[in-house]
């Protein structure tokens, strides 16, 4: 009988006890939640005969009221005990610990990664301390290319392997990750490579000796420049808005041919021209191109069968565009006042 069940619960509720907030919340969920005991009684109430509904309905309401009152009593007792020091946690911090926020570079990096992973790209990672082979040689850099000079690259050491001298350096781009993936995996390959890179540059408001890149690589049969353009257009509109336009300008990179730099329409002035875009209506955000056949061959992939595209963008550059941060040094100085400005973006 449902009345007998209610009477049992009334007695049970009057004897409820709990010693902390977690136990009190567990009792509330057990009796008063959607999946709780009293809610189950309400479901059974639908099957009660019409002449008994009034009596049983009043009893259910009484049970709900007494349960609520008892749980509130237990909550007050627990709060009083905590306030009087009956249950002091000596390991607890003496002051409130404020919640932090993600770094603006992390916010933007995660947003970029999310866009490309939804397009089918997978994450790839590699070492920051690399060798000359993967950073330069397999990326089709000439032996006398300026990027190999000490004025541009941080060299760590030279090690001799037989008659071969192996240069160890801090990677100057994340293309070395692409080289390592192509060495051990045959196409199709569709990856993005986020990471920190290093270049021997003077630290100013517009440049730093370390920064963050995200590079992408897609290799398969019959990959064309049109595929690259569509992916980059979709990316730009996802990140900067549906009205964003792009343009590709011819450029040169050792590892792609043909190569291009991509601009987006300035989202501040809408392409009309302003100080931010130097009154051109366009802002450069990345470099891209079709993977040079020499790169494919150097990494063990048949360039007569496969083709591909690659692109690379600077996370700091994109973050500047989104948040208009005027000084790159602010990203690495850990000024809490600056970081708190991004609490709403986390």
């Amino acid at each position: 009988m449902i009345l007998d069940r209610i009477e049992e619960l009334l007695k049970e509720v009057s004897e409820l006890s709990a010693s902390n907030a977690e136990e009190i919340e567990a009792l509330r969920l057990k009796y008063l939640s959607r999946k709780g005991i009293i809610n189950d009684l309400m479901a059974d109430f639908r099957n009660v005969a019409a002449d008994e509904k009034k009596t049983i309905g009043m009893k259910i309401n009484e049970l709900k009221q007494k349960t609520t009152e008892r749980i509130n009593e237990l909550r007050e007792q627990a709060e009083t005990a905590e306030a009087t020091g009956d249950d002091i946690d000596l390991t607890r911090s003496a002051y409130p610990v404020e919640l932090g926020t993600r770094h603006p570079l992390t916010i933007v990096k995660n947003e970029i990664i999310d866009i490309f992973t939804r397009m089918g790209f997978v994450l790839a990672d590699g070492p920051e301390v690399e060798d000359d082979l993967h950073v330069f040689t397999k990326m089709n850099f000439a032996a006398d290319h300026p990027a190999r000079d000490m004025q541009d690259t941080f060299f760590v050491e030279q090690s001799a392997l037989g008659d071969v001298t192996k240069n160890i350096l801090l990677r100057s781009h994340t293309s070395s990750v692409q080289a390592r993936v192509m060495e051990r995996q045959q196409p199709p390959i569709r990856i993005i490579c986020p990471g920190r890179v290093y270049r021997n540059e003077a630290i100013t408001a517009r440049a730093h000796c370390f920064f963050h890149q995200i590079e992408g690589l897609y290799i398969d049969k019959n990959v064309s420049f049109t595929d690259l353009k569509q992916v980059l257009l979709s990316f730009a509109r996802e990140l900067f808005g549906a009205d964003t336009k792009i343009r590709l300008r011819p450029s040169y990179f050792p590892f792609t041919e043909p190569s291009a730099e991509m601009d987006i329409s300035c989202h501040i002035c809408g392409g009309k021209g302003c100080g931010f875009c130097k009154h051109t209506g366009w802002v450069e955000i990345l470099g891209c191109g079709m993977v040079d056949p020499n790169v494919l061959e150097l990494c063990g992939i048949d360039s007569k069968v496969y083709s591909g595209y690659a692109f690379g963008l600077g996370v700091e550059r994109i973050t500047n565009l989104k948040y208009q941060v005027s000084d790159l040094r602010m990203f690495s100085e850990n000024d809490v006042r600056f970081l708190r400005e991004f609490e709403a973006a986390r």
Side-chain angles (χ1 to χ4, degrees):
M1 290 288 293
I2 189 170
L3 276 174
D4 294 338
R5 176 61 176 153
I6 294 172
E7 292 296 338
E8 291 175 5
L9 289 171
L10 283 168
K11 182 178 179 182
E12 184 178 308
V13 164
S14 66
E15 299 173 354
L16 290 178
S17 63
S19 59
N20 55 52
E22 289 78 11
E23 292 180 2
I24 294 170
E25 178 63 12
L27 291 175
R28 187 191 70 79
L29 293 173
K30 177 180 178 181
Y31 290 96
L32 298 174
S33 68
R34 281 188 173 185
K35 297 182 179 180
I37 293 173
I38 295 177
N39 201 55
D40 290 342
L41 285 176
M42 294 299 295
D44 295 338
F45 179 70
R46 300 190 188 95
N47 301 322
V48 172
D51 57 339
E52 296 180 350
K53 280 188 179 294
K54 182 178 180 181
T55 302
I56 295 176
M58 292 174 62
K59 276 292 187 181
I60 292 176
N61 287 336
E62 179 186 355
L63 172 62
K64 185 174 182 179
Q65 181 180 350
K66 288 188 178 296
T67 303
T68 303
E69 290 174 354
R70 182 56 183 162
I71 288 175
N72 288 337
E73 287 175 8
L74 292 172
R75 188 176 286 116
E76 290 175 6
Q77 291 172 8
E79 290 173 355
T80 302
E82 183 178 355
T84 56
D86 292 343
D87 186 20
I88 299 176
D89 183 1
L90 298 178
T91 64
R92 185 175 178 179
S93 174
Y95 52 87
V97 178
E98 295 184 9
L99 290 176
T101 181
R102 293 191 185 277
H103 194 280
L105 295 179
T106 303
I107 294 170
V108 173
K109 181 189 75 172
N110 289 344
E111 189 174 354
I112 295 170
I113 290 173
D114 180 64
I115 292 171
F116 282 114
T117 51
R118 283 189 276 116
M119 293 184 190
F121 289 82
V122 298
L123 285 174
D125 194 13
E128 293 184 11
V129 180
E130 260 289 6
D131 56 42
D132 179 276
L133 176 68
H134 292 92
V135 174
F136 296 125
T137 303
K138 294 210 170 187
M139 287 292 107
N140 201 39
F141 282 77
D144 58 352
H145 194 282
R148 294 178 182 260
D149 294 340
M150 293 181 65
Q151 290 83 359
D152 289 328
T153 301
F154 289 108
F155 286 91
V156 178
E157 66 177 13
Q158 287 186 338
S159 59
L161 299 176
D163 297 331
V164 179
T165 300
K166 185 177 182 182
N167 290 315
I168 306 300
L169 50 96
L170 300 181
R171 66 183 181 188
S172 55
H173 50 197
T174 52
S175 300
S176 57
V177 181
Q178 299 178 17
R180 288 188 175 274
V181 171
M182 286 188 284
E183 277 182 342
R184 64 175 183 264
Q185 178 182 335
Q186 284 295 302
I189 297 171
R190 192 194 295 258
I191 59 170
I192 51 173
C193 319
R196 182 181 295 176
V197 298
Y198 306 83
R199 292 183 188 173
N200 192 5
E201 297 183 4
I203 299 174
T204 67
R206 299 179 62 85
H208 211 293
C209 62
F210 71 86
F211 53 97
H212 300 79
Q213 281 188 336
I214 296 181
E215 297 198 23
L217 175 70
Y218 177 45
I219 300 175
D220 204 346
K221 295 178 180 178
N222 303 316
V223 177
S224 69
F225 203 96
T226 303
D227 300 322
L228 169 63
K229 183 177 179 181
Q230 186 58 50
V231 164
L232 296 180
L233 176 62
S234 300
F235 161 70
R237 289 180 172 175
E238 282 276 341
L239 192 63
F240 295 104
D243 296 330
T244 303
K245 298 181 177 66
I246 69 169
R247 72 175 184 182
L248 297 171
R249 294 178 287 105
S251 185
Y252 167 76
F253 304 108
F255 36 85
T256 54
E257 179 58 38
S259 304
E261 290 180 342
M262 189 181 93
D263 303 330
I264 62 167
S265 53
C266 180
H267 63 289
I268 295 174
C269 64
K272 297 177 181 178
C274 65
F276 187 77
C277 62
K278 300 179 181 178
H279 302 284
T280 65
W282 297 93
V283 181
E284 179 192 339
I285 66 167
L286 60 83
C288 61
M290 300 300 293
V291 179
D292 193 298
N294 288 339
V295 173
L296 296 177
E297 295 293 343
L298 288 167
C299 293
I301 295 175
D302 190 344
S303 62
K304 294 181 177 60
V305 177
Y306 297 103
S307 58
Y309 61 70
F311 56 85
L313 55 90
V315 179
E316 280 84 350
R317 178 67 168 163
I318 302 296
T319 308
N320 274 346
L321 291 175
K322 286 182 69 69
Y323 299 120
Q324 300 177 41
V325 179
S326 59
D327 192 333
L328 278 178
R329 292 170 293 192
M330 297 178 73
F331 290 131
S332 56
E333 289 177 349
N334 292 326
D335 188 329
V336 175
R337 295 168 300 176
F338 169 70
L339 297 177
R340 280 177 176 161
E341 295 180 14
F342 299 89
E343 287 182 352
R346 64 185 176 185

